[in-house]
Amino acid sequence: MSYQNNYDTTSYNNYGGGGGGGGGGFMPGEGSQNSPSGGRKEYKDDSLRPVTIKQILDAQAMGEEFKIDNTVISHLTFVGQIRNISKQATNITYKLDDGTGSIEVKQWVDSESVEQTNPATVRLIEGIYCRAWGKLKSFHDRKHVGAQIIRPVEDHNEVSYHLLEATAIHLYLTRGPPGGASGASAVAVNGGNQQQQAAGIGHNAYSLASYSAVAQRVYEHLRQAPQSNEGLHSQDIAAKLGIDTGDMTTAGDELLNGGLIYTTVDDQTWALLEAD
Amino acid sequence: MDHPQTPRILAPHLQTFQHKIVRILGKVVQLRGETAVIDAGGQVDLILNRDCHLAVGHAVEIIGKVDQNLNVKVQAATDFGTNIDFTAASAVVDATHRYKEIFYDGD
């Protein structure tokens, strides 16, 4: 009897263990969550950039990707006047002109919804301003934008708003965030006509002026990001700022040679030489 | 390119952009048949084409060529309505020339 009793207990425990095994069955689930997180690098880089058409035309091709202001782009938004509309069976191509250039914007037609005409599409006629969202594509070295959405501009202040927003983002990416030392350095780079600035800031700004935009951004990040006295690893900075490894190495060398930063635990971990 | 760059300017820039095609956003002040006057940071005289439909008091965006007398020969006009923030529009013109790398190619 006592044996039987033991057996019962054991089998119950085993059953419980089996339940635990069921919990283990969750593991593949976790595994499958890992694979999207493997693609999270791209997701993290996903952004929506307001741009002028000139910036799109000037975008540098980097294999499959494009860069504007040395930053990889994914989604773009811009405002332009429709110059031409060409309707095909599978897509509608709009030629948009915003005064800075013109580009073709293709919107694929969903064959199933052809019957129901989109009221926004009907109002897209030549001469009107519209806003488009989409991704830059290149086909036989000809750039076009594959648009998800194109809608008419209702309030024409959106044209001014968009161009100012595009300017603000362009300045943010090329000169760093507004205010602070980078703002001062941007002014110094711009014209060097701010010599009446406070001596400390003025000196800082002047000394940064000879560095590349990327180096200035790295410096600014090191100055502002929370960190231990070991500083930051170059890969972390590169990831945060969306700079590629080659540019990062160049920027690091510039700042190291200039004596603005120094290496700490290893060659790739940098801290500011001058503590604020 | 069939649609040339058209830098956004105001009245004070006319001299600099003589013989060039530009874009001007201004408020219609006066209609005189073949010509019109708009206020765009100063008075700008327009030579109209037949397709223009300007309305006094409305904002209008002109694409046109600046001639030797600093009149603008209109190629296209887009009505921008009556609710335009001209301060924002002149900020755009300022940005256009200050940060022209994203707006137009210099000579």
Side-chain angles (χ1 to χ4, degrees):
Chain A
M1 281 303 279
S2 69
Y3 175 80
Q4 184 68 45
N5 225 343
N6 271 341
Y7 183 76
D8 275 320
T9 316
T10 314
S11 86
Y12 177 76
N13 281 344
N14 274 346
Y15 182 75
F26 186 63
M27 294 300 282
E30 281 188 327
S32 74
Q33 280 192 327
N34 276 342
S35 59
S37 79
R40 193 171 289 167
K41 191 186 171 297
E42 279 182 44
Y43 180 70
K44 178 182 61 71
D45 290 339
D46 235 1
S47 63
L48 177 64
R49 283 269 298 278
V51 291
T52 65
I53 292 176
K54 179 171 191 295
Q55 283 181 290
I56 303 177
L57 298 175
D58 290 348
Q60 298 166 273
M62 303 279 294
E64 292 282 289
E65 295 177 317
F66 291 93
K67 279 183 164 189
I68 294 178
D69 293 336
N70 231 358
T71 307
V72 174
I73 55 169
S74 52
H75 294 265
L76 300 174
T77 178
F78 52 98
V79 169
Q81 254 179 319
I82 301 178
R83 289 291 173 225
N84 187 42
I85 303 175
S86 135
K87 288 189 180 165
Q88 268 114 38
T90 54
N91 71 77
I92 306 178
T93 303
Y94 300 91
K95 184 116 185 191
L96 296 193
D97 165 20
D98 70 350
T100 73
S102 55
I103 192 162
E104 287 188 337
V105 180
K106 252 184 231 294
Q107 193 171 35
W108 295 99
V109 176
D110 183 354
S111 55
E112 285 171 14
S113 66
V114 157
E115 300 305 319
Q116 328 159 346
T117 321
N118 186 338
T121 313
V122 173
R123 287 186 292 142
L124 293 172
I125 52 170
E126 283 182 24
I128 70 143
Y129 268 97
C130 64
R131 182 184 278 273
W133 285 263
K135 283 191 143 181
L136 178 54
K137 316 267 180 191
S138 187
F139 189 68
H140 294 314
D141 287 331
R142 244 176 92 93
K143 284 176 184 159
H144 75 268
V145 171
Q148 282 97 30
I149 306 173
I150 305 176
R151 64 142 174 84
V153 160
E154 307 281 349
D155 179 341
H156 283 90
N157 287 306
E158 186 170 350
V159 178
S160 300
Y161 160 72
H162 170 73
L163 293 170
L164 293 174
E165 191 189 20
T167 309
I169 300 300
H170 164 68
L171 293 177
Y172 182 93
L173 292 171
T174 50
R175 303 183 179 191
S182 80
S185 71
V187 170
V189 172
N190 196 16
N193 54 354
Q194 297 286 318
Q195 277 150 7
Q196 68 274 35
Q197 292 235 351
I201 299 168
H203 171 72
N204 190 7
Y206 189 74
S207 62
L208 271 181
S210 56
Y211 292 88
S212 68
V214 179
Q216 291 186 25
R217 284 175 64 208
V218 172
Y219 178 84
E220 201 47 36
H221 184 72
L222 276 164
R223 207 175 69 80
Q224 287 178 349
Q227 58 196 276
S228 70
N229 55 10
E230 284 175 15
L232 295 171
H233 196 273
S234 66
Q235 279 179 4
D236 293 341
I237 305 171
K240 279 258 164 47
L241 299 180
I243 296 170
D244 72 41
T245 325
D247 293 347
M248 194 62 202
T249 310
T250 319
D253 286 345
E254 274 185 71
L255 294 168
L256 285 165
N257 291 335
L260 291 176
I261 61 169
Y262 65 105
T263 59
T264 59
V265 289
D266 59 44
D267 282 348
Q268 295 306 309
T269 308
W270 305 330
L272 282 195
L273 194 55
E274 176 190 53
D276 287 83
Chain B
M1 207 192 304
D2 44 354
H3 302 289
Q5 281 182 338
T6 47
R8 290 175 168 78
I9 67 162
L10 290 171
H13 300 96
L14 286 170
Q15 184 77 51
T16 321
F17 285 85
Q18 209 172 2
H19 309 303
K20 300 231 167 68
I21 298 175
V22 296
R23 219 173 253 253
I24 307 174
L25 177 56
K27 192 178 208 163
V28 181
V29 178
Q30 208 178 84
L31 291 174
R32 291 183 257 183
E34 307 262 297
T35 63
V37 180
I38 60 168
D39 176 20
Q43 183 175 311
V44 178
D45 293 307
L46 305 180
I47 300 166
L48 303 176
N49 67 15
R50 278 175 207 156
D51 302 326
C52 299
H53 300 287
L54 305 191
V56 172
H58 278 229
V60 65
E61 189 184 63
I62 300 296
I63 295 175
K65 193 166 190 174
V66 186
D67 71 11
Q68 67 273 15
N69 302 319
L70 303 188
N71 298 322
V72 176
K73 197 164 187 313
V74 175
Q75 296 178 353
T78 310
D79 190 277
F80 267 30
T82 51
N83 186 32
I84 285 298
D85 181 342
F86 285 100
T87 318
S90 78
V92 171
V93 174
D94 181 65
T96 297
H97 304 288
R98 198 182 290 266
Y99 310 113
K100 67 177 195 173
E101 64 270 19
I102 67 167
F103 290 102
Y104 66 98
D105 298 299
D107 294 316

